[in-house]
Amino acid sequence: MLELSRLDLDEIAQALSDQTDYEHRWLINPDTGEVLLWTSDLGIDGKTLVDLDDLDEICIDPLPSYIWYQDMADFAELVSDERTQRRLMRAIDGKGAFRRFKVELHEEYPELLPTWYAFRDTRARHRAVQWLADNSLIDNDTATQYIAEHPAPDVP
């Protein structure tokens, strides 16, 4: 088992959210917790081609985009001002939701940006911790404790 405090949860969360379709994969070393980037043309060291099946690292497959979309929907629903809530919900309706949500926050509600970033990042770290537990890299009790001790911030 890995020690949670020694892991880079933000890096694991980034790997879980990476929706690009390039010839790369994020990996984690199950012994050290080091996160690595493998590419089909440069391997993991940038020089040596290596097949993923020949590596001992565990692939960090990205979570579907609808999971990350749900963060925007949940945040919008938690906003107490009804007008702001409606505008944010409208921004995430349909294709281009991520971009429109970002633009709406930046242009109309910049005061919500720090709360949004904290909310989004906390949720992403929770997913990283859960992913680690689901892959038996940390124990379930550690994951449960971390999530309980690191709640998402209140949304104004």
Side-chain angles (χ1 to χ4, degrees):
M1 294 277 166
L2 296 171
E3 189 177 326
L4 185 59
S5 63
R6 300 185 63 137
L7 299 174
D8 188 338
L9 295 180
D10 291 326
E11 194 171 30
I12 296 167
Q14 178 186 355
L16 289 169
S17 69
D18 187 349
Q19 300 293 315
T20 56
D21 286 329
Y22 303 119
E23 297 275 333
H24 74 272
R25 300 289 296 272
W26 291 93
L27 309 167
I28 188 168
N29 182 310
D31 298 322
T32 65
E34 180 184 15
V35 176
L36 307 162
L37 182 64
W38 171 90
T39 63
S40 61
D41 56 345
L42 298 175
I44 57 173
D45 65 1
K47 301 173 189 169
T48 310
L49 292 178
V50 62
D51 190 75
L52 276 176
D53 294 333
D54 296 335
L55 298 172
D56 293 329
E57 284 76 13
I58 298 169
C59 286
I60 304 173
D61 293 323
L63 298 174
S65 62
Y66 68 81
I67 290 176
W68 305 101
Y69 170 91
Q70 193 60 50
D71 290 343
M72 296 185 302
D74 291 347
F75 182 84
E77 288 177 7
L78 290 170
V79 171
S80 59
D81 180 70
E82 289 182 29
R83 180 179 178 271
T84 303
Q85 185 182 74
R86 279 193 311 274
R87 287 189 63 154
L88 291 174
M89 291 303 289
R90 196 169 29 246
I92 63 172
D93 187 29
K95 191 171 178 135
F98 290 93
R99 179 187 50 77
R100 283 192 313 276
F101 184 80
K102 181 179 175 182
V103 167
E104 188 73 19
L105 279 177
H106 280 269
E107 291 181 2
E108 302 298 329
Y109 307 104
E111 71 280 3
L112 288 177
L113 284 170
T115 306
W116 161 243
Y117 291 136
F119 183 87
R120 178 198 65 189
D121 294 348
T122 299
R123 288 263 186 110
R125 286 184 203 106
H126 287 180
R127 288 189 189 102
V129 167
Q130 190 59 57
W131 183 89
L132 289 162
D134 291 346
N135 285 274
S136 302
L137 296 172
I138 63 170
D139 62 63
N140 286 325
D141 291 340
T142 299
T144 301
Q145 181 179 351
Y146 176 89
I147 292 168
E149 291 175 356
H150 297 86
D154 291 331
V155 178

